[in-house]
C-alpha cells in the first residue's frame, strides 16, 4: 500500500501497477534521452532517428496516460453502480419483509378472533345444554317424589280400610248401589296409585262399551281395562246356607255369576289392536275375593284362561303399583332418551370443538413455518448482499489486459 497526496493505492490494484509501469517507462525514456544527448556529440546522423523515436515514444506515453484516466473513470462508475444496486436491494428486502410481517400479523389477529368467537359459542351452547338437562332432571325427581308420597298415602288409606270390618248388607242394598260402591272404591284406589294422566274413568271403547277404568300402559301390553263386579246375592246365599242342598245351590249361583262376569269382561273389554290382551275384574270385597280363592279355584283358572284376572282392593293396589312402575320406567326411558339426545349433541359439540382447535393448531403451525421460511429467505438475501458488498476484481492477466474477471465463484 502506498499513499500519494492523501489517497491510498494498493500495489495489487491493476491501475496502480499500470501507473508504476508507465513511470518506469518514463524513467527509461528519460535515461535513453540522456544517453542519446551524450551520444549526439558523437554521431549527428544517429541523432535524427533517435529524435523521431523519442517523439513517437512521447506520443505513446501520452496515449498510455489517457488510457489510465479512462480506466480510473470506469472503475469509479462500477463502484457507484454497485453501491446503488446494494441500496436498492436492501430497500426492496425491507419493504417485502414489512409487507410479510403485516400480512402475518393480520392473519394471526383474524385467527385469534375466530378462535375466541368459536370458543365463546361452544361454551354458550354447552352451558344451555347442561342447564336444560339439569332442569329436566330436577323436574323428573320432583315428580317422582310427589308420586311416591301419593303411593304412601294410598297404602295408608288401604291399610286403614282393610282394618275396618263392615257388613256388606248394611252398606249395599241393590245392584246399583253395589255398582256405585265398587266404582267409587276402584276410582279411589286408582286415583291414589296412578298419576291422573295415566288412566281414564268411564272410558268408551270403539265397540261402544263403557269401561269403569282404562289404564294407559305402554305397548306391550297396551291399554288395559278394569271393570268392577260384585256378586253379592250369591255370596249372601252362600253365607246363609244351612243345609248341604242350600250350600250347593248357593255355590252354583256363585259359579254362574262369576262366569257371566268373566265372559262379559272378555267379550266387551278385550279388543285386539285397541286394548291389551287381558283385563282386570275388580271385586270390591276382600271377603268375596278370599271365598273365591278358597272354595272356587276352578273359577280363578277359567278367568286365567279367558285372560281376565280377578283382583281385590289389596291385590288391585299391588297390581296398580306394578303398573305404576311400568309407567315410571317408560317415562324414565323417555327422559333417558332426551338426556341421551342432549349428550349426543354435547358429544358432537365437543368433537366440533376438537376439530376447530386442530384447525387453529394447524394454522399456527403453518404461520410458524411461513415465518421460518421468511427468516431463511432473509438470511439468504443478507448473505447475497454481503457477497455483493465484497465484490472485487482479479489482477489483469498479461495476455488479456482488456477483460475483468470477478472474484466470485461460478454459480454464486
Amino acid at each position: 500500500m502506498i499513499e500519494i497526496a492523501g489517497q491510498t493505492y494498493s500495489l495489487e490494484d491493476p491501475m496502480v501497477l499500470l501507473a508504476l509501469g508507465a513511470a518506469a517507462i518514463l524513467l527509461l525514456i528519460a535515461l535513453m534521452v540522456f544517453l542519446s544527448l551524450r551520444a549526439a556529440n558523437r554521431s549527428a546522423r544517429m541523432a535524427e532517428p533517435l529524435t523521431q523515436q523519442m517523439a513517437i515514444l512521447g506520443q505513446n506515453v501520452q496515449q498510455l496516460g489517457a488510457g489510465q484516466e479512462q480506466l480510473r473513470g470506469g472503475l469509479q462508475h462500477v463502484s457507484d453502480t454497485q453501491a446503488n444496486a446494494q441500496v436498492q436491494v436492501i430497500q426492496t428486502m425491507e419493504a417485502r419483509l414489512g409487507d410479510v410481517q403485516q400480512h402475518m400479523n393480520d392473519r394471526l389477529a383474524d385467527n385469534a378472533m375466530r378462535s375466541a368467537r368459536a370458543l365463546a359459542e361452544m361454551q354458550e351452547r354447552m352451558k344451555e345444554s347442561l342447564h336444560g338437562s339439569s332442569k329436566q332432571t330436577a323436574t323428573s325427581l320432583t315428580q317422582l317424589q310427589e308420586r311416591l308420597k301419593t303411593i304412601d298415602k294410598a297404602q295408608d288409606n288401604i291399610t286403614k280400610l282393610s282394618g275396618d270390618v263392615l257388613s256388606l248388607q248394611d252398606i249395599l242394598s241393590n245392584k246399583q248401589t253395589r255398582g256405585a260402591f265398587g266404582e267409587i272404591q276402584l276410582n279411589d284406589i286408582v286415583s291414589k296409585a296412578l298419576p291422573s294422566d295415566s288412566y281414564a274413568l268411564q272410558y268408551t271403547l270403539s265397540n261402544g262399551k263403557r269401561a269403569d277404568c282404562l289404564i294407559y300402559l305402554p305397548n306391550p301390553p297396551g291399554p288395559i281395562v278394569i271393570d268392577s263386579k260384585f256378586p253379592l246375592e250369591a255370596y249372601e246365599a252362600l253365607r246363609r246356607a244351612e243345609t248341604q242342598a242350600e250350600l250347593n245351590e248357593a255355590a252354583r249361583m256363585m259359579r254362574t255369576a262369576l262366569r257371566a262376569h268373566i265372559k262379559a269382561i272378555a267379550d266387551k273389554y278385550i279388543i285386539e289392536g285397541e286394548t291389551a290382551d287381558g283385563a282386570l275384574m275388580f271385586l270390591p270385597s276382600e271377603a268375596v275375593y278370599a271365598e273365591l280363592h278358597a272354595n272356587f279355584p276352578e273359577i280363578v283358572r277359567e278367568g286365567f284362561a279367558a285372560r281376565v284376572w280377578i283382583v281385590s282392593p289389596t291385590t288391585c293396589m299391588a297390581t296398580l303399583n306394578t303398573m305404576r312402575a311400568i309407567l315410571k320406567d317408560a317415562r324414565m326411558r323417555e327422559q333417558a332418551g332426551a338426556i341421551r339426545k342432549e349428550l349426543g349433541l354435547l358429544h358432537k359439540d365437543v368433537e366440533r370443538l376438537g376439530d376447530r382447535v386442530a384447525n387453529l393448531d394447524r394454522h399456527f403451525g403453518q404461520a410458524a413455518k411461513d415465518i421460518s421460511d421468511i427468516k431463511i429467505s432473509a438470511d439468504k438475501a443478507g448473505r447475497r448482499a454481503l457477497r455483493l458488498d465484497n465484490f472485487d476484481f482479479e489482477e489483469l492477466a498479461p495476455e488479456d489486459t482488456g477483460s475483468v474477471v470477478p472474484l466470485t465463484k461460478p454459480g454464486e
Side-chain angles (χ1 to χ4, degrees):
M1 300 292 291
I2 59 176
E3 184 176 354
I4 299 174
Q7 187 173 3
T8 303
Y9 300 95
S10 176
L11 294 177
E12 297 179 356
D13 191 350
M15 296 297 299
V16 175
L17 293 176
L18 184 61
L20 291 177
I25 292 172
L26 291 175
L27 289 176
L28 181 59
I29 292 172
L31 181 60
M32 291 178 65
V33 171
F34 178 73
L35 292 177
S36 297
L37 291 176
R38 289 184 64 182
N41 296 324
R42 288 181 289 179
S43 180
R45 291 181 180 179
M46 295 178 62
E48 292 180 0
L50 182 61
T51 302
Q52 293 177 358
Q53 291 180 359
M54 289 297 295
I56 294 172
L57 185 60
Q59 292 177 358
N60 292 333
V61 170
Q62 290 179 358
Q63 292 177 359
L64 183 62
Q68 182 179 0
E69 290 297 330
Q70 291 178 357
L71 181 60
R72 181 179 300 174
L75 291 174
Q76 184 66 32
H77 178 70
V78 170
S79 178
D80 294 340
T81 303
Q82 178 182 354
N84 293 332
Q86 183 177 358
V87 171
Q88 291 178 358
V89 169
I90 293 174
Q91 291 177 353
T92 303
M93 291 301 299
E94 289 179 352
R96 291 187 63 184
L97 289 175
D99 294 339
V100 171
Q101 185 176 4
Q102 183 65 31
H103 181 65
M104 290 300 301
N105 291 334
D106 295 340
R107 286 185 60 184
L108 291 175
D110 185 54
N111 291 334
M113 291 178 61
R114 290 181 180 178
S115 301
R117 192 181 303 112
L119 290 175
E121 292 177 356
M122 180 60 63
Q123 185 177 5
E124 186 66 23
R125 290 190 60 184
M126 291 178 65
K127 185 184 297 182
E128 293 177 357
S129 178
L130 293 175
H131 178 70
S133 299
S134 61
K135 185 176 181 180
Q136 291 178 357
T137 304
T139 303
S140 300
L141 292 176
T142 302
Q143 293 176 354
L144 180 61
Q145 291 177 355
E146 293 177 354
R147 292 168 184 171
L148 289 175
K149 291 180 181 178
T150 303
I151 291 175
D152 293 337
K153 291 180 180 178
Q155 289 178 344
D156 294 339
N157 293 332
I158 291 173
T159 302
K160 183 178 179 180
L161 291 173
S162 299
D164 296 335
V165 181
L166 300 176
S167 174
L168 293 178
Q169 291 180 347
D170 296 336
I171 299 175
L172 306 174
S173 58
N174 53 43
K175 291 183 178 181
Q176 293 181 352
T177 306
R178 289 197 305 271
F181 173 77
E183 292 175 5
I184 292 173
Q185 191 172 1
L186 177 61
N187 296 346
D188 184 67
I189 294 173
V190 172
S191 62
K192 291 180 180 179
L194 299 177
S196 59
D197 59 346
S198 62
Y199 65 91
L201 300 176
Q202 300 300 318
Y203 184 84
T204 303
L205 301 174
S206 61
N207 57 6
K209 304 300 181 181
R210 180 175 295 179
D212 292 337
C213 180
L214 179 70
I215 299 176
Y216 301 113
L217 292 180
N219 288 317
I224 188 169
V225 173
I226 303 178
D227 195 66
S228 177
K229 300 296 181 182
F230 201 164
L232 181 59
E233 291 86 352
Y235 178 74
E236 289 179 342
L238 190 64
R239 294 295 93 193
R240 289 195 303 264
E242 296 180 356
T243 63
Q244 187 63 37
E246 293 177 352
L247 184 61
N248 293 336
E249 180 62 21
R252 185 190 64 79
M253 292 174 57
M254 187 72 169
R255 291 186 181 92
T256 301
L258 291 173
R259 285 173 178 147
H261 292 325
I262 291 173
K263 186 177 184 304
I265 292 175
D267 294 339
K268 295 178 181 179
Y269 306 129
I270 299 178
I271 303 174
E272 185 176 0
E274 182 178 357
T275 64
D277 59 353
L280 298 179
M281 184 174 71
F282 175 69
L283 295 178
S285 173
E286 295 289 347
V288 176
Y289 182 80
E291 181 68 27
L292 175 65
H293 280 268
N295 299 315
F296 302 94
E298 71 280 4
I299 301 299
V300 178
R301 288 193 295 270
E302 290 179 9
F304 289 160
R307 293 174 297 177
V308 176
W309 296 282
I310 304 173
V311 294
S312 66
T314 303
T315 56
C316 182
M317 177 58 72
T319 304
L320 292 177
N321 283 332
T322 303
M323 294 180 182
R324 184 180 183 280
I326 294 174
L327 293 172
K328 174 185 173 183
D329 183 68
R331 294 188 179 183
M332 289 297 292
R333 283 198 300 270
E334 292 177 359
Q335 296 295 330
I339 294 173
R340 189 179 298 108
K341 180 179 178 182
E342 293 297 329
L343 290 176
L345 294 176
L346 179 61
H347 179 68
K348 290 181 180 179
D349 292 337
V350 172
E351 287 183 347
R352 191 177 298 108
L353 176 61
D355 294 337
R356 291 178 178 176
V357 171
N359 292 334
L360 179 61
D361 182 68
R362 185 167 59 255
H363 291 325
F364 278 119
Q366 184 64 35
K369 183 177 181 301
D370 293 340
I371 293 174
S372 177
D373 294 340
I374 291 171
K375 289 182 179 178
I376 294 173
S377 300
D379 292 339
K380 288 183 178 179
R383 289 196 297 270
R384 292 185 184 276
L386 183 61
R387 285 200 297 270
L388 290 174
D389 184 62
N390 295 330
F391 189 87
D392 202 351
F393 295 94
E394 294 182 353
E395 293 183 3
L396 293 175
E399 65 274 9
D400 190 9
T401 58
S403 62
V404 179
V405 181
L407 294 179
T408 55
K409 295 180 180 180
E412 294 187 348

